[in-house]
Amino acid sequence: MKIPSNTSLFYVFGGLLLLVLTYFAAVILLRRLGKDPQNLLPPDTMKKVSLPLIFILFSFLLRMGSLRELLGLDDYGYIFRKSSTLLFIFSFTWLLIKVIKLVKQLVIQNYDVSSTDNLKARKVYTQFTILERIFIFIITIMALGIALMSFEEIREIGISIFASAGVAGIIIGFSAQKMIGAILAGIQIALAQPIKIDDVVVVEGEWGRIEQITLTYVVVAIWDKRRLVLPTTYFIEKPFQNWTKTTADILGTVFLYTDYRLPIEPLREELGRILKNTDLWDGQTQNIQVTNATGTHVEIRALMSAKDSPTAWDLRVHVREKLIAFLQENYPNCLPHTRVFINDEFSKQEK
């Protein structure tokens, strides 16, 4: 039985009013939760989820038969229903992605990556950054599969995304082996964490910091502002140096090569004076040791500690300059020499 137009109008506006009330109730609830400091939701939660919510509610409105009758488009029911289904799928996917990003924001907002002792913050930030990308990738693939399955003509394509693991696995194994390996390596990095965001590393002979970690590649910011882009598999398969794996503090060394005549104790005292007069030293470790002796010179190692690797680099440069100046000023004759002894045997034979 066909519903009269005035009844259709009543249903349409009634449904529209219900959707509007639902939306504003969600707005009021989320805003109130966002303003209360005791709640977990940040203040801008509503701004981030408002558009997906609007499209989800609009998809319900599109599915109403009364709307089609009111507009005189009863013959286009299939198009309205299909549009409603697709709009709901993609709006709900959009909402899930927003929720994932909000969860990440809630977790990492209590960790300051820019602080000096930021080991735990970098660990949490790295885990949630990679896991966020993994979940978004999975949700997007599932949404595309469900959308395809809603069409009778191409339902087999949608089903194949979920069920044809055998054939797809063989195809992927041959054609996308490296990409899948990189993704799995990215997941392994997120769980095992051989590297973290802002870690100081030495890779391919370059010193730098981990700037970005994705599922397939890692960006290392080199000290001279270059960027080294490496696949995630590199950090699983090849050895590299991680200077901040467990702690940020690090030992620095300075090597000097002097003559055998140099007294060590004054040099040791000078090192202590240099370190006490600089803020680069963390006050933990200082030492002077003779680490090697050759036929031409003595190798002396100055050992010192700093709070992190950039500070250690600056401290090493500072100590090296000061120790060289100390030797030049106080022991110029103790710099490396090449000794030549001439045996005047020819003159003796003539006499």
Side-chain angles (χ1 to χ4, degrees), residues 138 141-149 155-166:
I138 294 174
I141 293 298
M142 291 183 65
L144 290 174
I146 295 172
L148 290 174
M149 290 175 65
R155 178 169 294 181
E156 294 182 0
I157 300 177
I159 295 175
S160 66
I161 292 180
F162 298 102
S164 61

Side-chain angles (χ1 to χ4, degrees), residues 169-341:
I170 295 173
I171 296 174
I172 290 174
F174 285 102
S175 62
Q177 183 177 2
K178 290 185 177 181
M179 183 187 71
I180 298 300
I183 293 175
L184 293 177
I187 297 174
Q188 187 174 350
I189 287 175
L191 299 177
Q193 293 202 333
I195 55 173
K196 299 175 289 295
I197 297 294
D198 207 39
D199 261 347
V200 177
V201 296
V202 178
V203 289
E204 297 294 311
E206 300 283 1
W207 182 95
R209 289 182 176 273
I210 301 295
E211 184 178 57
Q212 184 182 9
I213 302 176
T214 70
L215 282 179
T216 55
Y217 66 90
V218 176
V219 179
V220 181
I222 308 302
W223 65 274
D224 57 1
K225 297 186 178 181
R226 290 178 293 143
R227 297 297 185 271
L228 183 63
V229 181
L230 297 166
T232 51
T233 53
Y234 180 94
F235 296 92
I236 302 299
E237 299 173 353
K238 296 184 179 182
F240 63 93
Q241 296 183 39
N242 188 338
W243 291 8
T244 53
K245 179 67 173 69
T246 55
T247 58
D249 57 329
I250 192 171
L251 294 178
T253 57
V254 170
F255 287 95
L256 297 175
Y257 300 92
T258 68
D259 192 74
Y260 275 80
R261 292 176 294 178
L262 176 71
I264 303 301
E265 195 57 35
L267 192 65
R268 186 174 285 116
E269 294 175 358
E270 178 65 14
L271 175 64
R273 187 189 65 80
I274 294 171
L275 293 177
K276 289 178 181 178
N277 292 329
T278 178
D279 295 331
L280 300 173
W281 185 47
D282 63 0
Q284 299 296 320
T285 303
Q286 62 163 327
N287 198 6
I288 286 280
Q289 294 175 317
V290 177
T291 55
N292 195 13
T294 69
T296 58
H297 63 267
V298 173
E299 182 184 76
I300 299 175
R301 185 187 68 180
L303 189 67
M304 65 223 71
S305 59
K307 63 180 181 180
D308 52 38
S309 55
T311 306
W313 172 265
D314 294 336
L315 180 61
R316 290 171 61 194
V317 172
H318 175 73
V319 169
R320 186 182 293 111
E321 291 176 355
K322 293 295 183 181
L323 288 180
I324 291 175
F326 174 77
L327 292 177
Q328 291 173 339
E329 182 178 352
N330 297 278
Y331 299 96
N333 295 328
C334 292
L335 297 176
H337 289 82
T338 300
R339 294 178 174 86
V340 178
F341 295 94

Side-chain angles (χ1 to χ4, degrees), residues 9-21 57 61 64:
L9 184 64
F10 172 78
Y11 283 143
V12 170
F13 280 103
L16 183 60
L17 179 61
L18 180 62
L19 295 177
V20 171
L21 291 176
L57 297 176
L61 183 64
M64 295 178 62

